[in-house]
Amino acid sequence: ETEQVNDLYKKVRNDLGFFTINIIDKAKIVYDKYFNYVHGQISDAAGYVALGKYPVEPNTEYQISDFQTDQIAFYNKSDVFVGGIAEVNPTTHKFTTPSNAFFIGVTAKPHQVDTLILAKSSEYPSAYVPYEEKLPEIRFEVEQINDFYKKIKNELGFETINLIDKSKIVYDKYYD
């Protein structure tokens, strides 16, 4: 039942187009552990942190902060280990995910966590950005929403008031 709820949650988020630039979610950190690039298991290692697992796109180039070169592990849709990297390229800090990778586990040092960036190379920011889920900008035409102005008035609490007192109307006359 919990898995069904999680799957539904992920599907709704995916269908709505949620995205993040920096995929390093600090809520998914395990201290004194690391992701082993040979077999994908999380192992003990004092002075390191295991970050993830985070969703990634298959066969996509990613870039990680220039101070980070430690081990990375990749997993498929079923969370089965599919490959790893012993050390990220120390010059470019870029790597391409395997064609069957849907999740990534990253090893780092604890002092790196607060400024670590992992993002698609094409979206890599010039300065640190925290993990933050966003929705794409949604645009629509007023005509696409039935009774748009009426709904806005109701939501904002506007009330229609009659400024004319009908008892004071004088017919067949005008004010000059």
Coordinates of all heavy atoms in Angstrom, one line a residue, residues 79-153:
D79 N 16.0 -0.4 -8.7 CA 17.0 -0.2 -7.6 C 18.1 -1.2 -7.6 O 18.7 -1.5 -6.5 CB 16.4 0.0 -6.3 CG 17.2 0.7 -5.2 OD1 18.1 1.5 -5.6 OD2 17.1 0.4 -4.0
V80 N 18.5 -1.8 -8.7 CA 19.5 -2.8 -8.9 C 20.8 -2.1 -9.4 O 20.7 -1.3 -10.4 CB 19.1 -3.9 -9.8 CG1 20.3 -4.9 -10.0 CG2 17.9 -4.7 -9.2
F81 N 21.9 -2.3 -8.8 CA 23.2 -1.7 -9.2 C 23.5 -2.0 -10.6 O 23.4 -3.2 -11.1 CB 24.3 -2.2 -8.3 CG 25.6 -1.7 -8.7 CD1 26.0 -0.4 -8.5 CD2 26.6 -2.6 -9.2 CE1 27.3 0.1 -8.8 CE2 27.8 -2.1 -9.6 CZ 28.2 -0.8 -9.4
V82 N 23.8 -1.0 -11.4 CA 24.2 -1.2 -12.9 C 25.5 -0.7 -13.2 O 26.0 -0.8 -14.4 CB 23.1 -0.6 -13.8 CG1 21.8 -1.3 -13.6 CG2 23.0 0.9 -13.6
G83 N 26.3 0.0 -12.3 CA 27.6 0.5 -12.7 C 28.0 1.6 -11.7 O 27.2 2.0 -10.9
G84 N 29.3 1.9 -11.8 CA 29.8 3.0 -11.0 C 31.0 3.7 -11.5 O 31.6 3.3 -12.5
I85 N 31.4 4.7 -10.8 CA 32.6 5.5 -11.2 C 33.5 5.6 -10.0 O 33.0 6.0 -8.9 CB 32.2 6.9 -11.7 CG1 31.3 6.9 -12.9 CG2 33.4 7.7 -12.0 CD1 30.7 8.2 -13.3
A86 N 34.8 5.2 -10.1 CA 35.7 5.3 -9.0 C 36.0 6.7 -8.7 O 36.1 7.1 -7.5 CB 37.0 4.5 -9.3
E87 N 36.2 7.5 -9.7 CA 36.6 8.9 -9.5 C 36.1 9.7 -10.7 O 36.3 9.4 -11.9 CB 38.1 9.0 -9.5 CG 38.6 10.4 -9.3 CD 40.1 10.6 -9.2 OE1 40.8 10.1 -10.2 OE2 40.6 11.2 -8.3
V88 N 35.3 10.8 -10.4 CA 34.8 11.7 -11.4 C 36.0 12.3 -12.1 O 37.0 12.6 -11.5 CB 33.9 12.7 -10.8 CG1 33.4 13.7 -11.9 CG2 32.7 12.0 -10.2
N89 N 35.9 12.6 -13.4 CA 37.0 13.3 -14.1 C 37.4 14.5 -13.4 O 36.6 15.5 -13.2 CB 36.5 13.6 -15.5 CG 37.5 14.3 -16.4 OD1 38.3 15.2 -15.9 ND2 37.6 13.8 -17.6
P90 N 38.7 14.6 -12.9 CA 39.1 15.7 -12.1 C 39.3 17.1 -12.9 O 39.4 18.1 -12.3 CB 40.4 15.3 -11.5 CG 40.9 14.2 -12.5 CD 39.7 13.6 -13.1
T91 N 39.2 17.0 -14.2 CA 39.3 18.2 -15.0 C 37.9 18.8 -15.3 O 37.7 20.0 -15.1 CB 40.0 17.9 -16.3 OG1 41.3 17.3 -16.0 CG2 40.3 19.2 -17.1
T92 N 37.0 18.0 -15.8 CA 35.7 18.5 -16.3 C 34.6 18.3 -15.2 O 33.6 19.0 -15.2 CB 35.2 17.7 -17.5 OG1 35.0 16.4 -17.2 CG2 36.2 17.9 -18.7
H93 N 34.8 17.3 -14.3 CA 33.8 17.0 -13.3 C 32.5 16.6 -13.9 O 31.4 16.7 -13.3 CB 33.6 18.1 -12.3 CG 34.9 18.4 -11.6 ND1 35.4 17.7 -10.5 CD2 35.9 19.3 -11.8 CE1 36.5 18.1 -10.1 NE2 36.9 19.1 -10.9
K94 N 32.6 16.0 -15.1 CA 31.4 15.6 -15.9 C 31.4 14.1 -16.0 O 32.5 13.5 -16.1 CB 31.3 16.3 -17.2 CG 31.1 17.8 -17.1 CD 31.0 18.4 -18.5 CE 30.9 19.9 -18.4 NZ 30.8 20.5 -19.8
F95 N 30.2 13.5 -16.1 CA 30.1 12.1 -16.4 C 28.8 11.8 -17.1 O 27.9 12.6 -17.0 CB 30.3 11.2 -15.1 CG 29.2 11.6 -14.1 CD1 28.0 10.9 -14.1 CD2 29.5 12.5 -13.2 CE1 27.1 11.2 -13.1 CE2 28.5 12.8 -12.2 CZ 27.3 12.2 -12.2
T96 N 28.6 10.7 -17.8 CA 27.4 10.3 -18.4 C 26.8 9.1 -17.7 O 27.5 8.1 -17.5 CB 27.6 10.1 -19.9 OG1 28.1 11.3 -20.5 CG2 26.3 9.7 -20.6
T97 N 25.5 9.2 -17.4 CA 24.9 8.1 -16.7 C 24.7 6.9 -17.7 O 24.6 7.1 -18.9 CB 23.5 8.5 -16.2 OG1 22.7 9.0 -17.3 CG2 23.6 9.6 -15.1
P98 N 24.8 5.7 -17.2 CA 24.5 4.5 -18.1 C 23.1 4.6 -18.7 O 22.2 5.2 -18.1 CB 24.7 3.3 -17.1 CG 25.5 3.8 -16.0 CD 25.1 5.3 -15.8
S99 N 23.0 3.9 -19.8 CA 21.7 3.9 -20.5 C 20.5 3.3 -19.7 O 19.4 3.5 -20.0 CB 21.8 3.2 -21.8 OG 22.2 1.8 -21.6
N100 N 20.8 2.5 -18.7 CA 19.8 1.9 -17.8 C 19.7 2.5 -16.4 O 19.1 1.9 -15.5 CB 19.9 0.4 -17.8 CG 21.3 0.0 -17.3 OD1 22.2 0.8 -17.2 ND2 21.4 -1.3 -17.0
A101 N 20.4 3.6 -16.2 CA 20.5 4.2 -14.9 C 19.3 5.2 -14.6 O 19.0 6.0 -15.5 CB 21.8 5.0 -14.7
F102 N 18.6 5.0 -13.5 CA 17.5 5.8 -13.1 C 17.7 6.5 -11.7 O 17.0 7.4 -11.3 CB 16.2 5.1 -13.1 CG 15.7 4.8 -14.5 CD1 16.1 3.7 -15.2 CD2 14.8 5.7 -15.1 CE1 15.7 3.5 -16.5 CE2 14.4 5.5 -16.4 CZ 14.8 4.4 -17.1
F103 N 18.8 6.0 -11.0 CA 19.1 6.5 -9.7 C 20.6 6.6 -9.5 O 21.3 5.8 -10.2 CB 18.5 5.7 -8.6 CG 17.0 5.6 -8.6 CD1 16.4 4.5 -9.2 CD2 16.3 6.6 -8.0 CE1 15.0 4.5 -9.2 CE2 14.9 6.6 -8.0 CZ 14.3 5.5 -8.6
I104 N 21.1 7.5 -8.7 CA 22.5 7.7 -8.5 C 22.7 7.8 -7.0 O 21.9 8.4 -6.2 CB 23.0 9.0 -9.2 CG1 24.5 9.0 -9.1 CG2 22.4 10.2 -8.6 CD1 25.1 10.2 -10.0
G105 N 23.8 7.2 -6.5 CA 24.3 7.4 -5.1 C 25.7 8.0 -5.2 O 26.5 7.6 -6.0
V106 N 25.9 9.1 -4.4 CA 27.1 9.8 -4.5 C 27.9 9.7 -3.1 O 27.2 9.8 -2.1 CB 26.8 11.3 -4.8 CG1 28.1 12.2 -4.8 CG2 26.1 11.5 -6.1
T107 N 29.2 9.6 -3.2 CA 30.0 9.6 -2.0 C 30.7 11.0 -1.9 O 31.2 11.5 -2.9 CB 31.1 8.5 -2.0 OG1 30.4 7.3 -2.2 CG2 31.9 8.5 -0.8
A108 N 30.7 11.6 -0.7 CA 31.4 12.9 -0.5 C 31.9 13.0 0.9 O 31.7 12.1 1.7 CB 30.4 14.0 -0.8
K109 N 32.5 14.1 1.2 CA 33.0 14.3 2.6 C 32.0 15.2 3.2 O 31.4 16.1 2.6 CB 34.4 15.0 2.5 CG 35.4 14.0 1.9 CD 36.8 14.7 1.7 CE 37.7 13.7 1.1 NZ 37.4 13.4 -0.3
P110 N 31.8 15.1 4.5 CA 30.7 15.9 5.2 C 30.8 17.4 5.0 O 29.8 18.0 4.9 CB 30.9 15.5 6.7 CG 31.6 14.1 6.7 CD 32.5 14.2 5.4
H111 N 32.0 17.9 5.0 CA 32.2 19.4 4.9 C 31.8 19.9 3.5 O 31.6 21.1 3.2 CB 33.6 19.8 5.2 CG 34.6 19.4 4.2 ND1 35.3 18.2 4.3 CD2 35.2 20.0 3.1 CE1 36.1 18.1 3.3 NE2 36.1 19.2 2.6
Q112 N 31.6 19.0 2.5 CA 31.2 19.3 1.1 C 29.7 19.5 0.9 O 29.3 20.1 0.0 CB 31.8 18.3 0.1 CG 33.3 18.2 0.1 CD 33.8 17.1 -0.8 OE1 33.1 16.0 -0.9 NE2 35.0 17.3 -1.4
V113 N 29.0 18.9 1.8 CA 27.5 18.7 1.6 C 26.8 20.1 1.4 O 25.9 20.2 0.6 CB 26.9 18.0 2.8 CG1 25.4 18.0 2.8 CG2 27.4 16.5 2.8
D114 N 27.2 21.1 2.2 CA 26.5 22.4 2.2 C 26.7 23.1 0.9 O 25.9 24.1 0.6 CB 26.9 23.2 3.3 CG 26.3 22.7 4.6 OD1 25.2 22.0 4.6 OD2 26.8 23.0 5.7
T115 N 27.6 22.8 0.1 CA 27.9 23.5 -1.2 C 27.9 22.6 -2.4 O 28.3 23.1 -3.5 CB 29.2 24.4 -1.1 OG1 30.3 23.5 -0.8 CG2 29.0 25.5 -0.1
L116 N 27.6 21.3 -2.2 CA 27.7 20.4 -3.3 C 26.6 20.6 -4.3 O 25.4 20.7 -3.9 CB 27.7 19.0 -2.8 CG 28.0 17.8 -3.7 CD1 29.3 17.9 -4.3 CD2 27.8 16.5 -3.0
I117 N 27.0 20.5 -5.6 CA 26.0 20.6 -6.7 C 26.1 19.4 -7.6 O 27.3 19.1 -8.0 CB 26.2 21.9 -7.6 CG1 26.1 23.2 -6.7 CG2 25.2 21.9 -8.7 CD1 26.5 24.4 -7.5
L118 N 25.0 18.8 -7.9 CA 25.0 17.7 -8.9 C 23.8 18.1 -9.8 O 22.7 18.1 -9.4 CB 24.8 16.4 -8.3 CG 24.6 15.2 -9.3 CD1 25.8 15.1 -10.3 CD2 24.4 13.9 -8.5
A119 N 24.1 18.4 -11.1 CA 23.1 18.8 -12.0 C 23.4 18.3 -13.4 O 24.5 17.9 -13.7 CB 22.9 20.3 -12.0
K120 N 22.4 18.3 -14.3 CA 22.7 18.0 -15.7 C 23.7 19.1 -16.2 O 23.6 20.3 -15.8 CB 21.4 18.2 -16.5 CG 20.4 17.1 -16.3 CD 19.2 17.3 -17.2 CE 18.1 16.3 -16.8 NZ 16.9 16.6 -17.6
S121 N 24.6 18.7 -17.0 CA 25.7 19.6 -17.5 C 25.0 20.8 -18.2 O 25.5 21.9 -18.0 CB 26.6 18.9 -18.4 OG 27.4 17.9 -17.7
S122 N 24.0 20.5 -18.9 CA 23.3 21.6 -19.7 C 22.6 22.6 -18.8 O 22.3 23.7 -19.2 CB 22.3 21.0 -20.7 OG 21.3 20.3 -19.9
E123 N 22.4 22.3 -17.5 CA 21.7 23.2 -16.6 C 22.6 23.6 -15.4 O 22.1 24.2 -14.5 CB 20.5 22.5 -16.0 CG 19.4 22.1 -17.1 CD 18.3 21.3 -16.5 OE1 18.3 20.9 -15.3 OE2 17.4 21.0 -17.3
Y124 N 23.9 23.2 -15.4 CA 24.8 23.4 -14.3 C 24.9 24.9 -14.0 O 25.2 25.7 -14.9 CB 26.1 22.8 -14.6 CG 26.9 22.7 -13.3 CD1 26.8 21.6 -12.5 CD2 27.8 23.7 -12.9 CE1 27.5 21.5 -11.3 CE2 28.6 23.6 -11.8 CZ 28.4 22.5 -11.0 OH 29.1 22.3 -9.8
P125 N 24.6 25.3 -12.8 CA 24.6 26.8 -12.5 C 26.0 27.3 -12.2 O 26.9 26.6 -11.9 CB 23.8 26.8 -11.1 CG 24.0 25.5 -10.5 CD 24.1 24.5 -11.7
S126 N 26.1 28.6 -12.4 CA 27.4 29.3 -12.2 C 27.7 29.5 -10.7 O 28.9 29.8 -10.4 CB 27.5 30.6 -13.0 OG 26.4 31.4 -12.5
A127 N 26.7 29.4 -9.9 CA 26.9 29.6 -8.4 C 26.0 28.6 -7.7 O 25.1 28.0 -8.3 CB 26.5 31.0 -8.0
Y128 N 26.3 28.3 -6.4 CA 25.6 27.3 -5.7 C 24.1 27.6 -5.7 O 23.7 28.7 -5.4 CB 26.1 27.2 -4.3 CG 25.3 26.2 -3.4 CD1 25.4 24.9 -3.6 CD2 24.3 26.7 -2.5 CE1 24.7 24.0 -2.8 CE2 23.6 25.8 -1.8 CZ 23.7 24.5 -2.0 OH 23.0 23.6 -1.2
V129 N 23.3 26.6 -5.9 CA 21.8 26.6 -5.7 C 21.5 25.4 -4.9 O 21.9 24.3 -5.1 CB 21.0 26.7 -7.1 CG1 21.3 27.9 -7.8 CG2 21.3 25.4 -7.9
P130 N 20.6 25.6 -3.9 CA 20.2 24.5 -3.1 C 19.2 23.6 -3.8 O 18.6 24.0 -4.8 CB 19.5 25.2 -1.9 CG 19.0 26.4 -2.4 CD 20.0 26.9 -3.5
Y131 N 19.0 22.4 -3.3 CA 18.0 21.5 -3.8 C 16.6 22.2 -3.5 O 16.4 22.7 -2.4 CB 18.0 20.2 -3.0 CG 16.9 19.3 -3.3 CD1 16.9 18.5 -4.4 CD2 15.8 19.2 -2.4 CE1 15.8 17.6 -4.7 CE2 14.7 18.4 -2.7 CZ 14.7 17.6 -3.8 OH 13.7 16.8 -4.1
E132 N 15.9 22.3 -4.6 CA 14.6 23.0 -4.5 C 13.7 22.5 -5.6 O 14.1 22.6 -6.8 CB 14.8 24.5 -4.6 CG 13.5 25.3 -4.6 CD 13.8 26.8 -4.8 OE1 14.6 27.2 -5.7 OE2 13.3 27.6 -4.0
E133 N 12.6 21.9 -5.3 CA 11.7 21.4 -6.3 C 10.8 22.6 -6.8 O 10.3 23.3 -6.1 CB 10.8 20.3 -5.8 CG 11.7 19.1 -5.5 CD 10.8 17.9 -5.0 OE1 9.7 18.1 -4.5 OE2 11.3 16.8 -5.1
K134 N 10.7 22.6 -8.1 CA 9.9 23.7 -8.8 C 9.0 23.1 -9.8 O 9.2 22.0 -10.3 CB 10.9 24.7 -9.5 CG 11.9 25.3 -8.6 CD 12.9 26.1 -9.5 CE 14.0 26.7 -8.6 NZ 14.9 27.5 -9.4
L135 N 8.0 23.9 -10.1 CA 7.1 23.6 -11.2 C 7.4 24.5 -12.3 O 7.8 25.7 -12.1 CB 5.6 23.9 -10.8 CG 4.8 22.8 -10.1 CD1 3.5 23.4 -9.6 CD2 4.6 21.7 -11.1
P136 N 7.3 24.0 -13.6 CA 7.6 24.9 -14.7 C 6.5 26.0 -14.7 O 5.4 25.9 -14.1 CB 7.4 24.0 -15.9 CG 6.7 22.9 -15.4 CD 6.9 22.7 -14.0
E137 N 6.9 27.2 -15.3 CA 6.0 28.3 -15.4 C 4.8 27.8 -16.2 O 4.9 27.3 -17.3 CB 6.7 29.5 -16.1 CG 5.8 30.7 -16.0 CD 6.6 31.9 -16.5 OE1 7.8 32.1 -16.2 OE2 6.0 32.7 -17.3
I138 N 3.6 28.0 -15.7 CA 2.4 27.6 -16.4 C 1.7 28.9 -16.9 O 1.4 29.8 -16.2 CB 1.4 26.8 -15.4 CG1 2.2 25.6 -14.9 CG2 0.1 26.5 -16.1 CD1 1.4 24.9 -13.9
R139 N 1.4 28.9 -18.2 CA 0.7 30.0 -18.8 C -0.6 29.5 -19.4 O -0.7 28.4 -19.9 CB 1.5 30.6 -19.9 CG 2.8 31.2 -19.4 CD 3.6 31.8 -20.6 NE 4.8 32.3 -20.2 CZ 5.0 33.6 -19.8 NH1 4.0 34.4 -19.9 NH2 6.2 34.0 -19.4
F140 N -1.6 30.4 -19.4 CA -2.9 30.1 -19.9 C -3.6 31.3 -20.4 O -3.2 32.4 -20.0 CB -3.8 29.3 -18.9 CG -4.1 30.1 -17.7 CD1 -5.2 30.9 -17.6 CD2 -3.2 30.0 -16.6 CE1 -5.4 31.7 -16.5 CE2 -3.5 30.7 -15.5 CZ -4.6 31.6 -15.4
E141 N -4.5 31.2 -21.3 CA -5.3 32.3 -21.8 C -6.6 32.4 -20.9 O -7.1 31.3 -20.5 CB -5.7 32.1 -23.2 CG -4.5 32.1 -24.2 CD -3.8 33.4 -24.3 OE1 -4.5 34.4 -24.2 OE2 -2.6 33.4 -24.4
V142 N -7.1 33.6 -20.6 CA -8.3 33.7 -19.8 C -9.4 32.9 -20.4 O -10.2 32.3 -19.6 CB -8.6 35.2 -19.6 CG1 -9.9 35.4 -19.0 CG2 -7.5 35.9 -18.9
E143 N -9.5 32.9 -21.7 CA -10.6 32.2 -22.3 C -10.6 30.7 -22.1 O -11.6 30.0 -22.3 CB -10.6 32.4 -23.9 CG -10.8 33.9 -24.3 CD -9.6 34.8 -24.1 OE1 -8.4 34.2 -24.2 OE2 -9.7 36.0 -23.9
Q144 N -9.5 30.2 -21.7 CA -9.4 28.7 -21.4 C -10.1 28.3 -20.1 O -10.3 27.1 -19.9 CB -7.9 28.3 -21.3 CG -7.2 28.4 -22.7 CD -5.8 28.0 -22.5 OE1 -5.0 28.8 -22.0 NE2 -5.4 26.8 -23.0
I145 N -10.4 29.3 -19.3 CA -11.1 29.0 -18.0 C -12.5 29.5 -18.0 O -12.7 30.7 -18.1 CB -10.2 29.6 -16.8 CG1 -8.8 29.0 -16.9 CG2 -10.9 29.3 -15.5 CD1 -7.9 29.6 -15.8
N146 N -13.4 28.7 -17.8 CA -14.8 29.1 -17.8 C -15.1 30.0 -16.6 O -14.6 29.8 -15.5 CB -15.8 27.9 -17.6 CG -15.7 27.0 -18.9 OD1 -15.4 27.4 -20.0 ND2 -16.0 25.7 -18.7
D147 N -15.8 31.1 -16.9 CA -16.2 32.1 -15.8 C -14.9 32.6 -15.0 O -15.0 32.7 -13.8 CB -17.2 31.5 -14.9 CG -18.5 31.1 -15.6 OD1 -18.9 31.8 -16.5 OD2 -19.0 30.0 -15.2
F148 N -13.8 32.8 -15.7 CA -12.6 33.2 -15.1 C -12.8 34.5 -14.1 O -12.4 34.4 -13.0 CB -11.5 33.5 -16.1 CG -10.2 34.0 -15.5 CD1 -9.4 33.2 -14.9 CD2 -9.9 35.4 -15.6 CE1 -8.2 33.6 -14.4 CE2 -8.7 35.9 -15.0 CZ -7.8 35.0 -14.4
Y149 N -13.4 35.5 -14.7 CA -13.5 36.8 -13.9 C -14.4 36.6 -12.7 O -14.2 37.1 -11.6 CB -14.0 37.9 -14.8 CG -12.9 38.3 -15.8 CD1 -13.1 38.1 -17.1 CD2 -11.7 38.9 -15.3 CE1 -12.1 38.4 -18.0 CE2 -10.7 39.3 -16.2 CZ -10.9 39.0 -17.6 OH -9.9 39.4 -18.5
K150 N -15.5 35.8 -12.9 CA -16.4 35.5 -11.8 C -15.7 34.7 -10.7 O -15.8 35.0 -9.5 CB -17.6 34.7 -12.4 CG -18.7 34.4 -11.3 CD -19.8 33.6 -12.0 CE -20.9 33.3 -11.0 NZ -22.0 32.5 -11.6
K151 N -14.9 33.7 -11.1 CA -14.1 32.9 -10.1 C -13.1 33.8 -9.4 O -12.9 33.6 -8.2 CB -13.5 31.8 -10.8 CG -14.4 30.7 -11.3 CD -13.8 29.6 -12.0 CE -14.8 28.6 -12.5 NZ -14.2 27.5 -13.3
I152 N -12.5 34.7 -10.1 CA -11.5 35.6 -9.4 C -12.2 36.5 -8.4 O -11.7 36.7 -7.3 CB -10.7 36.5 -10.5 CG1 -9.8 35.6 -11.3 CG2 -10.0 37.6 -9.8 CD1 -8.7 35.0 -10.5
K153 N -13.3 37.1 -8.8 CA -14.1 37.9 -7.9 C -14.5 37.1 -6.7 O -14.4 37.6 -5.5 CB -15.3 38.5 -8.6 CG -15.0 39.6 -9.6 CD -16.2 40.3 -10.1 CE -17.5 39.5 -10.3 NZ -18.5 40.2 -11.1

